Amino acid sequence: MGKDHESKHKKDKKNRKRHRSSSSEDSEYEREKQLDKRLAEERLQKKMEKQRAKEEMKANETPEEKKARRMAKKMKKDANRKAAELEDTLIPSELNYTNLNNPFNDTKLTQTFVWGKKLEKEGKSGLSQDEITRETGQRIRKNLTEAAEFKRIRDTRAAVKEDMEMMKRDADLRAGQMSDSKEREFQLDQVKERTRIRIDQGRAKAIDLLTRYIRFAEQNPYNATIPDFELSNPVEYMKSTCSSVEDYEDLVEDIKTYRDLDGWVKNETFWMDITRIAEDEIQKKSSQKTRDVHSGVEKEIQDMFKVKV
């Protein structure tokens, strides 16, 4: 009797535990169900809000914005379509080849080509389609990597060649400049020598006296190379050697020649002042010559009338 009572008590205890466990599971299920329902409602609400905002944007957008939006949508569709076409293909994306767009007119370009006899000869006839595709893809990527490396080497060689040619051109230019500089230096020495000879022989021109004057001002007094002479105002040198318009015109040309050899920047102020004075003298003497001609013509006319009278 006691044993039956104890057994019944244990069964009741198990039933109560089972009932509590079942109730707990039911309540957990209800909570999850309520949570899923709430999340679904929130997602639906967000979707409706997004749709409403989209409709408001469409209603308020300008024709230009509408056109731009449609263009962007079309471009996105095209990109997705191309991505779908290139999916599961062995052709790398950088080549941008498809079955309908490739330089080989191959409508099966993106499919894996299986060369049965070659695989059999290499002992790979038992490979599956996936293994063949994987091996082919590895070979294509290896070839592309090698091609990129060859291109890099070729570009590097071309760049080195271009640099060498540029260096050669620079060297030739420097050599030419040095040659021109030596040529100008030689010609300047010749000009100085002719100046010295004309001065020594007493037939100096204005340019000879002026260049001697400016070189004397430039030289180091402790290392003088020009013999002593009487310094005068440079204008006096011009007046003593130039007596006609032609003399002053020759002086202007001589100044240009000398500056071309000695450098246009060197003693620029001095030579510009001398040139202005010479040009002013040319203008004065030309005007005087014109007046003299007019006076001479007038005198001849008067003499003619006197003879007739």
Side-chain angles (χ1 to χ4, degrees):
M1 185 73 179
K3 291 182 179 180
D4 293 339
H5 179 73
E6 185 178 355
S7 176
K8 184 178 180 181
H9 179 70
K10 288 181 178 180
K11 288 182 180 180
D12 292 340
K13 189 175 181 180
K14 287 182 180 180
N15 290 333
R16 285 195 299 270
K17 286 183 179 180
R18 191 180 298 113
H19 179 71
R20 284 197 300 270
S21 176
S22 177
S23 299
S24 176
E25 290 177 357
D26 292 342
S27 61
E28 183 69 23
Y29 173 75
E30 288 295 331
R31 283 196 298 271
E32 291 180 356
K33 188 176 180 180
Q34 291 293 332
L35 180 61
D36 292 340
K37 183 179 179 181
R38 187 166 62 253
L39 291 175
E41 291 176 353
E42 290 178 357
R43 284 195 293 268
L44 180 61
Q45 185 178 0
K46 288 182 179 180
K47 184 177 180 180
M48 293 177 64
E49 291 177 355
K50 185 177 180 180
Q51 183 68 23
R52 186 164 52 253
K54 186 176 181 181
E55 291 176 356
E56 290 179 358
M57 181 193 70
K58 288 183 179 180
N60 297 328
E61 67 182 355
T62 62
E64 291 78 8
E65 293 174 343
K66 184 176 182 180
K67 184 178 180 180
R69 178 175 56 80
R70 290 183 174 179
M71 183 64 68
K73 185 177 181 180
K74 183 177 182 300
M75 292 175 64
K76 185 177 180 180
K77 284 185 177 180
D78 292 341
N80 293 336
R81 178 177 54 79
K82 289 182 179 180
E85 290 177 356
L86 293 175
E87 189 176 1
D88 297 331
T89 179
L90 294 175
I91 305 301
S93 58
E94 58 266 21
L95 294 181
N96 199 23
Y97 289 163
T98 64
N99 290 335
L100 301 178
N101 181 21
N102 63 79
F104 317 107
N105 296 324
D106 187 356
T107 58
K108 297 181 180 180
L109 182 68
T110 59
Q111 299 179 10
T112 304
F113 173 73
V114 180
W115 191 352
K117 291 185 178 181
K118 184 174 183 295
L119 292 175
E120 184 178 353
K121 184 177 180 180
E122 294 177 352
K124 299 179 180 179
S125 57
L127 294 178
S128 64
Q129 183 66 30
D130 292 340
E131 291 174 337
I132 295 174
T133 301
R134 190 182 309 110
E135 184 176 330
T136 304
Q138 292 175 354
R139 185 173 64 253
I140 291 176
R141 284 190 291 272
K142 180 181 178 182
N143 293 338
L144 289 175
T145 303
E146 292 178 353
E149 181 65 16
F150 291 150
K151 183 178 182 300
R152 186 189 65 80
I153 294 174
R154 184 173 64 251
D155 293 343
T156 302
R157 289 177 178 174
V160 171
K161 182 179 179 182
E162 184 177 355
D163 291 341
M164 294 296 292
E165 291 177 352
M166 185 179 297
M167 292 172 62
K168 185 177 182 301
R169 288 196 298 269
D170 292 342
D172 293 341
L173 180 61
R174 286 194 296 270
Q177 290 175 348
M178 292 177 63
S179 177
D180 293 341
S181 177
K182 290 181 179 179
E183 179 67 21
R184 285 196 300 271
E185 185 178 351
F186 172 76
Q187 293 181 6
L188 184 60
D189 291 339
Q190 293 297 311
V191 169
K192 292 177 181 179
E193 182 63 19
R194 287 194 294 269
T195 296
R196 184 190 64 79
I197 293 173
R198 283 195 294 265
I199 292 175
D200 291 344
Q201 294 178 355
R203 53 186 184 89
K205 298 170 61 177
I207 189 65
D208 299 329
L209 301 177
L210 292 171
T211 54
R212 183 181 64 173
Y213 176 88
I214 197 65
R215 285 191 288 115
F216 180 80
E218 292 175 346
Q219 74 176 356
N220 187 343
Y222 300 101
N223 189 21
T225 58
I226 301 176
D228 293 339
F229 65 96
E230 184 178 354
L231 284 174
S232 299
N233 190 327
V235 178
E236 296 298 327
Y237 294 146
M238 298 170 61
K239 291 182 178 180
S240 63
T241 54
C242 298
S243 57
S244 63
V245 174
E246 289 75 13
D247 292 337
Y248 281 106
E249 289 177 347
D250 291 342
L251 174 59
V252 172
E253 293 300 322
D254 290 340
I255 290 174
K256 292 179 181 178
T257 302
Y258 183 82
R259 294 187 67 189
D260 187 50
L261 296 174
D262 196 38
W264 285 89
V265 179
K266 193 174 181 180
N267 302 312
E268 182 178 8
T269 303
F270 173 79
W271 290 119
M272 288 181 66
D273 292 341
I274 295 296
T275 302
R276 290 194 189 98
I277 294 172
E279 291 174 347
D280 186 60
E281 290 295 330
I282 292 172
Q283 186 176 2
K284 288 180 181 179
K285 290 186 176 296
S286 297
S287 300
Q288 181 64 37
K289 187 176 181 180
T290 302
R291 286 195 297 271
D292 293 342
V293 170
H294 290 170
S295 300
V297 172
E298 184 179 358
K299 186 175 183 304
E300 289 180 1
I301 293 173
Q302 290 176 356
D303 292 342
M304 289 173 61
F305 278 111
K306 287 180 181 180
V307 171
K308 289 182 179 181
V309 173

